[in-house]
Amino acid sequence: MSSLSSPERALFQAALELLSRREHSRQELCQKLANRFPGADFDSLFQRLEELNYQSDQRFAQVLARSRLQRGQGPLRIRRELQQRGVADDCIATALEQLEVDWYARAVEVLQRKFPVPVSPALPRERQLKECSRRQRYLAYRGFPGDAIQWALAAEV
């Protein structure tokens, strides 16, 4: 630490301050620090943070994926958010695999939590279709793939 110049030390401390609150992807951290430290050497900062195991895109992906799973989000939405935050595809794939979740069963759970009463066969056909479409859109918005959505809708009947 003593080998760092004053601006490098300030940059390192600012990065530590952000990382002490929550995990950040490399891209997020760079964006947040770039405004305060224009022209800073971020490559050496990230090299040092990774050597000390203070910043890891893989760990960030795991934490975010687990958090989004608990919120009832599906794999497509989780993947998209991680991509937007600059996480590499291999880290994303590993994080999703480590969740070890049955996305079909998860889609059923999310659907039942939002819509505890199944679509009644006593409803007019048009109304049934409208309600099924509504449930399908809900699961699609949550980030579930089409086959998991169809599975969940079929399990509801």
Side-chain angles (χ1 to χ4, degrees):
M1 187 76 174
S2 60
S3 64
L4 296 176
S5 68
S6 185
E8 290 172 329
R9 189 176 300 120
L11 176 63
F12 186 76
Q13 289 299 324
L16 285 182
E17 186 178 315
L18 289 169
L19 288 168
S20 69
R21 292 188 190 121
R22 70 168 179 87
E23 292 285 342
H24 287 74
S25 69
R26 184 179 179 131
Q27 177 182 302
E28 278 183 322
L29 205 53
C30 192
Q31 287 172 343
K32 288 182 178 187
L33 294 171
N35 294 335
R36 290 175 49 193
F37 301 94
D41 182 14
F42 290 110
D43 290 334
S44 65
L45 169 70
F46 286 114
Q47 182 180 354
R48 183 161 175 81
L49 289 172
E50 288 171 9
E51 284 172 3
L52 296 169
N53 200 25
Y54 290 163
Q55 192 279 327
S56 164
D57 274 358
Q58 184 62 58
R59 190 172 56 233
F60 170 76
Q62 291 168 346
V63 168
L64 189 125
R66 201 172 315 110
S67 164
R68 298 313 186 250
L69 174 66
Q70 291 171 349
R71 287 187 187 178
Q73 294 180 357
L76 302 177
R77 186 158 175 189
I78 295 169
R79 177 180 299 280
R80 185 173 50 247
E81 184 173 352
L82 286 167
Q83 287 172 336
Q84 289 171 344
R85 293 176 183 236
V87 177
D89 288 337
D90 58 330
C91 289
I92 295 171
T94 302
L96 289 173
E97 285 172 19
Q98 289 179 345
L99 289 175
E100 295 179 355
V101 62
D102 178 356
W103 293 110
Y104 292 87
R106 188 69 179 142
V108 171
E109 291 170 20
V110 169
L111 186 64
Q112 288 175 347
R113 186 175 31 182
K114 176 70 174 177
F115 303 100
V117 178
V119 177
S120 172
L123 289 173
R125 180 79 175 137
E126 183 179 313
R127 188 92 189 275
Q128 286 178 13
L129 292 174
K130 188 175 182 180
E131 187 59 30
C132 284
S133 293
R134 180 174 167 232
R135 293 168 189 228
Q136 189 174 12
R137 281 191 310 273
Y138 175 76
L139 287 175
Y141 171 76
R142 304 294 288 173
F144 288 94
D147 51 349
I149 293 170
Q150 294 309 315
W151 175 273
L153 291 173
E156 185 180 53
V157 176

